[in-house]
Amino acid sequence: MKQQTFGIIGGGMLGMTLAFRLSQKGYKVTLFDAAPNFGGLASAWNIDGITWDKFYHVILLSDTYTRNLLKDLNLENEMRWVETKTGFYTEGKLYSMSNTFEFLKFPPLNILDKLRLGGTIFYTSKLKNWKRLERITVEKFLKRLSGKNTFEKIWLPLLRAKLGDTYKNTSAAFIWATIQRMYSARKSGLKKEMFGYLPGGYARILDVFSTRLKAENIELKSGFKAKSIYRDDDQVNIEFTDGSNYKFDNIINTIPSSFIPGMVPDLSDEEIQKHSDIEYLGVICPNVILKKAISPYYVTNITDSGVPFTGVIEMTALVDKRDFSDKHLIYLPKYLQSNDPYFEKTDKEISDMFLDYLLKMYPHLHLNDIEHVEIARARNVFALNKLGYSNSLPPVESSVKGLYLLNSAHITNGTLNINETIQLAENKLSAILSGINGAE
Ligand SMILES: Cc1cc2nc3c(=O)[nH]c(=O)nc-3n(C[C@H](O)[C@H](O)[C@H](O)COP(=O)(O)OP(=O)(O)OC[C@H]3O[C@@H](n4cnc5c(N)ncnc54)[C@H](O)[C@@H]3O)c2cc1C
């Protein structure tokens, strides 16, 4: 029997993993991406002589899917594991929150609030039935467990930082998934927070991964922006913006759902509605190169309102600064809805506003310590986990025969990360293939 052909649209970690696993099973695969390079949100750039991820990434000891992929690429043995610390910026001061003792000293909460906060985290980490949590808002869930004071002083600023005002429609499954990931980071390492990275960052992973995909005879086509998808006779077609057209027995489209209705007009009304209903959050993420360190913390959570960014990620608290020619790299992410007018601000406007606040937060940092700033932006980063989310998702197997629509919105009980992305690719691929082979 003739082997089936697959076209994959979107060469982020999801599309690359699907392509890799399909070719290992003997299928003929072509992978397309609109950008000049593969990698999507995981891709890197060079700023001030340093090549590193545009958006910060860590790997956890518990990220078994990522680590297995790295094993397949012969990279896992080079991983570096580091014990990291977490900071909190609250009421104009920076606090360490890296162990129980520091938590007990944390000033904004009294002892009862702290017990309730600790109890909330512990209780949520033990919950198994995340689907039930999709029926209640995260606000109601956290207020009930932690009390109003802790909710307002800790949870609310953290939810706003990650979700903006959309926290109001977000289900408690969101905080469940976040706490599960936080717990698994600590579980494996004597309750310490162990984070990992590969020297060279995702640039290196993507380079080795792309070379491996080529070696597997996968056709890699970058600079191909898909415009429309339709079926004729017995194959599915992709038409690209440059006018070219490719046909396959099957297509897996991994790009965000917001683009699907305009791209696949032959979907049913219900599918179009379901893709349109998925709301995305995006991120504006200045990368800042500094002459000196600002803190010992990999992540600093911010609970003060008025700070334009929603956290500080100090990459060089994790990555050896010798890998950055002794310079320091920090990220100042701000999460917002994908249609927020903030995305229209110029690089200079964002940079002025963010750096002004950074200098206020860290008085030992001076303007001449800042060597370079580059602003990364992405509008469609993760789908909002609204009430009843998992039941409202569009099916992966679409009503257009041979067309599968699979993207990160299909991660229902996890946070957005590469481990979940690889797991999604592998699990859904098994289902897709058993559907195809069963139907043959
Ligand atoms: C700020 C930030 C921090 C993060 N931190 C971490 C972390 O610490 N650890 C971790 O594991 N993960 C982290 N992640 C998540 C991780 O980056 C994502 O889970 C992963 O990269 C998503 O991969 P994807 O393939 O699903 O999507 P994407 O990477 O978005 O890939 C989609 C691809 O589709 C292409 N495309 C779009 N439209 C078209 C079209 N019309 N035609 C052809 N191609 C098209 C795009 O160019 C892109 O390459 C972070 C992400 C962000 C933004």
Side-chain angles (χ1 to χ4, degrees):
M1 190 188 297
K2 184 180 150 282
Q3 187 61 290
Q4 301 251 342
T5 58
F6 276 84
I8 296 176
I9 305 173
M13 285 302 289
L14 180 58
M16 290 174 88
T17 307
L18 288 166
F20 185 36
R21 298 303 182 211
L22 275 167
S23 78
Q24 286 179 317
K25 291 181 196 299
Y27 293 94
K28 177 84 192 94
V29 185
T30 308
L31 176 63
F32 299 93
D33 200 284
N37 296 306
F38 290 88
L41 293 173
S43 52
W45 56 5
N46 184 294
I47 46 172
D48 204 24
I50 295 168
T51 300
W52 204 260
D53 312 6
K54 277 186 184 177
F55 303 102
Y56 51 93
H57 289 89
V58 282
I59 299 173
L60 308 191
L61 278 169
S62 51
D63 282 348
T64 47
Y65 285 85
T66 307
R67 293 178 68 188
N68 283 338
L69 178 68
L70 294 179
K71 275 185 198 143
D72 290 345
L73 301 177
N74 291 324
L75 290 172
E76 212 274 334
N77 54 353
E78 291 179 42
M79 284 289 301
R80 290 194 196 148
W81 298 102
V82 180
E83 188 187 333
T84 54
K85 290 184 167 176
T86 301
F88 253 79
Y89 185 78
T90 194
E91 294 170 6
K93 281 200 186 129
L94 198 58
Y95 298 93
S96 183
M97 267 273 251
S98 308
N99 55 44
T100 314
F101 181 64
E102 288 170 351
F103 173 68
L104 291 171
K105 284 199 314 188
F106 191 52
L109 300 179
N110 63 37
I111 191 69
L112 184 66
D113 292 339
K114 279 174 196 158
L115 284 174
R116 289 189 79 172
L117 178 61
T120 304
I121 296 173
F122 181 74
Y123 170 78
T124 311
S125 77
K126 297 286 168 217
L127 288 177
K128 294 273 177 282
N129 188 351
W130 59 271
K131 272 213 153 208
R132 264 188 47 207
L133 300 179
E134 283 196 325
R135 289 191 230 135
I136 165 172
T137 64
V138 68
E139 177 175 9
K140 208 165 176 186
F141 177 78
L142 290 174
K143 266 190 187 157
R144 195 183 287 165
L145 288 175
S146 295
K148 199 166 169 277
N149 195 32
T150 308
F151 179 79
E152 270 160 21
K153 286 202 167 133
I154 298 289
W155 290 118
L156 183 58
L158 293 179
L159 290 174
R160 277 226 166 92
K162 195 77 185 179
L163 304 166
D165 273 346
T166 60
Y167 81 87
K168 289 179 190 151
N169 310 324
T170 302
S171 86
F174 168 82
I175 203 70
W176 178 86
T178 308
I179 289 173
Q180 294 292 322
R181 185 158 171 84
M182 194 182 90
Y183 242 67
S184 62
R186 287 172 173 77
K187 236 190 308 197
S188 341
L190 299 167
K191 297 279 172 215
K192 290 174 183 160
E193 188 178 80
M194 295 293 283
F195 282 172
Y197 70 98
L198 188 84
Y202 265 89
R204 172 110 191 287
I205 297 175
L206 292 169
D207 188 36
V208 174
F209 202 3
S210 302
T211 307
R212 180 63 185 274
L213 295 184
K214 278 183 213 146
E216 295 277 339
N217 281 326
I218 294 166
E219 244 188 285
L220 294 184
K221 295 202 164 283
S222 56
F224 277 75
K225 185 169 183 190
K227 195 170 90 183
S228 68
I229 305 174
Y230 57 92
R231 190 171 177 94
D232 69 7
D233 305 330
D234 53 353
Q235 286 202 305
V236 208
N237 290 252
I238 316 172
E239 196 180 300
F240 291 93
T241 48
D242 66 358
S244 60
N245 193 300
Y246 287 77
K247 282 168 182 265
F248 300 92
D249 298 320
N250 305 285
I251 287 172
I252 310 181
N253 189 354
T254 71
I255 72 171
S257 282
S258 347
F259 302 112
I260 301 296
M263 195 180 265
V264 200
D266 296 339
L267 290 177
S268 70
D269 290 348
E270 192 188 344
E271 285 168 301
I272 300 242
Q273 192 58 51
K274 284 186 166 176
H275 282 286
S276 312
D277 282 348
I278 296 173
E279 270 180 61
Y280 280 89
L281 277 186
V283 70
I284 292 178
C285 189
N287 292 210
V288 187
I289 307 279
L290 301 172
K291 285 186 192 151
K292 63 184 184 197
I294 54 171
S295 81
Y297 313 120
Y298 173 69
V299 176
T300 298
N301 296 299
I302 297 172
T303 60
D304 285 7
S305 59
V307 185
F309 37 90
T310 48
V312 179
I313 313 296
E314 189 156 357
M315 196 40 89
T316 20
L318 171 71
V319 178
D320 194 328
K321 69 180 167 48
R322 281 172 297 187
D323 292 357
F324 293 156
S325 324
D326 282 335
K327 293 174 191 170
H328 299 258
L329 169 62
I330 62 164
Y331 297 86
L332 304 175
K334 178 179 182 68
Y335 290 89
L336 5 114
Q337 274 177 285
S338 58
N339 57 0
D340 195 298
Y342 217 96
F343 275 105
E344 307 304 334
K345 288 196 188 298
T346 64
D347 285 5
K348 181 160 184 334
E349 283 173 317
I350 293 171
S351 165
D352 287 352
M353 217 179 327
F354 282 37
L355 294 184
D356 188 46
Y357 222 97
L358 185 75
L359 295 173
K360 278 190 202 136
M361 274 176 77
Y362 301 91
H364 65 284
L365 188 73
H366 304 287
L367 197 56
N368 61 5
D369 293 319
I370 299 169
E371 288 218 341
H372 199 94
V373 184
E374 208 69 52
I375 316 289
R377 295 175 177 80
R379 281 189 190 256
N380 296 289
V381 173
F382 65 94
L384 276 176
N385 206 323
K386 294 189 271 195
L387 290 178
Y389 182 70
S390 63
N391 292 329
S392 63
L393 279 172
V396 173
E397 182 175 357
S398 80
S399 57
V400 176
K401 191 168 178 286
L403 173 63
Y404 301 87
L405 301 169
L406 172 66
N407 59 43
S408 61
H410 288 96
I411 299 172
T412 48
N413 59 348
T415 56
L416 179 79
N417 59 67
I418 286 174
N419 193 59
E420 290 286 350
T421 302
I422 297 171
Q423 182 176 3
L424 180 75
E426 298 186 350
N427 290 347
K428 296 290 182 192
L429 192 58
S430 306
I432 291 172
L433 290 178
S434 58
I436 291 172
N437 296 323
E440 269 177 358

